[in-house]
Amino acid sequence: MEDLLQDEYVIFKHIHANWLRRFEGAGGKLFLTNQRLIFVPHSLNIQTEWVQMELWGMSKIEKHQTWGIIPNGIKITMDSGEVVKFIVWNRSKIIREVICAKRTDDIILN
């Protein structure tokens, strides 16, 4: 993972996830800090670029069903309208942690 920003700390790390991007589910790991959610793909994927989302830019995070039937995903909608989807285990806990970190970040920023 890249260097942390000033006043940034890790809340959880190494959460196994798949980033649903176009026709590939890129495998990797999620990291949650008090400022960002970061996905770092495994080097064996075709698409190996990282994705990071600032918590302050998230307008919505919710449960998502893969292929419309498998209850194993999360969907994040950014203020820009961009939608990012991940397949994860224990999605309720991850969603709670992101919401809690976002609230803390909002309190610090305001």
Side-chain angles (χ1 to χ4, degrees):
M1 193 178 86
E2 67 184 40
D3 294 331
L4 296 177
L5 304 173
Q6 183 178 356
D7 299 325
E8 184 176 29
Y9 57 88
V10 175
I11 296 170
F12 67 67
K13 58 185 175 178
H14 303 297
I15 301 298
H16 296 283
N18 286 315
W19 176 22
L20 298 178
R21 185 170 182 221
R22 296 189 182 109
F23 302 109
E24 181 187 10
K29 299 195 179 184
L30 280 173
F31 297 80
L32 176 64
T33 74
N34 61 317
Q35 297 179 25
R36 301 177 287 170
L37 183 64
I38 303 164
F39 175 77
V40 180
H42 301 302
S43 60
L44 298 177
N45 293 305
I46 294 169
Q47 300 179 47
T48 58
E49 69 184 73
W50 294 22
V51 64
Q52 64 178 3
M53 295 152 283
E54 288 81 13
L55 298 180
W56 57 264
M58 294 180 184
S59 59
K60 189 177 198 182
I61 182 168
E62 58 190 327
K63 292 178 179 179
H64 174 72
Q65 296 192 104
T66 306
W67 296 317
I69 57 170
I70 304 170
N72 65 348
I74 60 173
K75 180 169 80 170
I76 300 167
T77 305
M78 303 300 291
D79 290 341
S80 66
E82 177 185 8
V83 175
V84 182
K85 297 176 184 174
F86 295 101
I87 296 173
V88 294
W89 291 104
N90 211 352
R91 66 184 179 169
S92 295
K93 180 181 178 187
I94 293 169
I95 290 170
R96 277 193 310 271
E97 292 290 340
V98 170
I99 290 170
C100 182
K102 183 170 171 35
R103 285 185 185 144
T104 303
D105 186 50
D106 288 342
I107 292 168
I108 292 170
L109 292 176
N110 289 330

